């Protein structure tokens, strides 16, 4: 576990409630997920790993290096959160590469599933593009969603009902670069 002084230097002096997942726990779990995904699709089938920015950028970059088969990477930018810690319920697609989905197994990579609004809006839109399959891989799942159109096939950790930051997750754009996942005091 990182020592307190180092953590405070990284957060700009803001104290965390606790470190929820440290670097070693995350790395071990991401390695397992990479192995599972590598084995899940028929050999030779094209794979498109689609990261939902910005939150998934660190998870995705670690994950794709643990997937031991050819794949393509693309990104979507969707925003359902304002600057606070509660969901606004709206989903805006701010960047959409319109990648070719036909015949590809698409894996949508999320940092965290909270209310499920983002996924429930995005999945039907992506299904319309005719992928061979569409699965969701999320690092964290709070299991509070009542409106999920589809459960993620791969979940890194069943997360506590706290506001989590680090390893890509932000609070008002801060803390994405923490190498571990911590919890902010309510
Ligand atoms: P949902 O649409 O409510 O499921 O929220 C999905 C998005 O909200 C995630 O991709 C995150 O960007 C953000 N989010 C939800 N919970 C947290 C959290 O605990 N910390 C940081 N961001 C979160
Ligand atoms: Mg966010």
């Amino acid at each position: 576990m990182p020592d307190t002084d180092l953590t405070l230097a990284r957060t700009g002096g803001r104290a965390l409630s606790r470190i929820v997942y440290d670097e070693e726990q995350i790395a071990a779990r991401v390695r397992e997920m990479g192995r599972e995904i590598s084995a899940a699709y028929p050999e030779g089938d094209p794979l498109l790993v689609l990261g939902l920015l910005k939150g998934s950028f660190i998870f995705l970059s670690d994950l794709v290096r643990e997937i031991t088969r050819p794949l393509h990477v693309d990104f979507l930018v969707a925003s359902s959160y304002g600057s606070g810690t509660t969901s606004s319920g709206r989903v805006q697609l701010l960047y959409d590469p319109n990648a070719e989905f036909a015949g590809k197994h698409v894996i949508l990579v999320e940092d965290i599933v909270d209310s499920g609004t983002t996924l429930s809006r995005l999945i039907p839109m992506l299904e319309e593009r005719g992928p061979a399959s569409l699965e969701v891989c999320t690092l964290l799942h709070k299991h509070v969603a009542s409106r999920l159109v589809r459960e993620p096939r791969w979940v890194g950790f069943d997360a506590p009902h706290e506001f989590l930051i680090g390893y890509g997750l932000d609070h008002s754009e801060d803390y994405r670069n923490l190498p571990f996942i911590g919890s902010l005091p309510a």
Side-chain angles (χ1 to χ4, degrees):
M1 205 173 267
D3 72 66
T4 308
D5 288 349
L6 182 55
T7 300
L8 287 174
R10 288 182 187 275
T11 62
R14 175 126 184 215
L16 305 179
S17 304
R18 63 192 178 103
I19 290 172
V20 182
Y21 306 107
D22 66 24
E23 289 179 71
E24 288 73 24
Q25 285 173 292
I26 296 169
R29 186 66 190 116
V30 172
R31 208 168 300 126
E32 284 174 359
M33 296 175 89
R35 268 202 295 273
E36 287 167 23
I37 292 170
S38 304
Y41 295 93
E43 207 176 308
D45 281 17
L47 223 64
L48 173 64
V49 178
L50 190 62
L52 204 50
L53 292 177
K54 301 173 198 173
S56 74
F57 82 109
I58 294 179
F59 174 44
L60 179 134
S61 61
D62 284 344
L63 181 70
V64 291
R65 285 177 287 179
E66 301 293 346
I67 300 177
T68 53
R69 52 178 293 154
L71 55 77
H72 288 183
V73 174
D74 219 323
F75 296 96
L76 283 178
V77 182
S79 166
S80 69
Y81 271 50
S83 57
T85 56
T86 52
S87 178
S88 66
R90 287 173 290 113
V91 174
Q92 266 180 292
L93 222 43
L94 307 173
Y95 169 73
D96 176 3
N98 257 313
E100 183 58 58
F101 281 17
K104 288 183 184 160
H105 296 289
V106 176
I107 303 173
L108 183 64
V109 178
E110 258 277 40
D111 51 355
I112 185 164
V113 178
D114 183 7
S115 73
T117 308
T118 312
L119 279 186
S120 295
R121 301 272 161 85
L122 270 181
I123 284 171
M125 293 165 62
L126 299 178
E127 287 283 18
E128 267 177 32
R129 298 180 192 178
S133 69
L134 176 62
E135 301 284 359
V136 175
C137 173
T138 187
L139 178 65
L140 302 162
H141 194 336
K142 286 189 183 169
H143 294 285
V144 291
S146 55
R147 295 176 282 179
L148 262 195
V149 300
R150 177 168 325 171
E151 275 302 320
R153 177 160 173 189
W154 293 285
V155 176
F157 300 100
D158 296 324
H161 298 173
E162 296 165 34
F163 197 83
L164 303 175
I165 51 155
Y167 197 70
L169 291 121
D170 73 303
H171 176 252
S172 300
E173 295 302 325
D174 288 326
Y175 314 121
R176 292 195 196 274
N177 61 321
L178 301 181
F180 51 82
I181 294 170
S183 168
L184 280 186

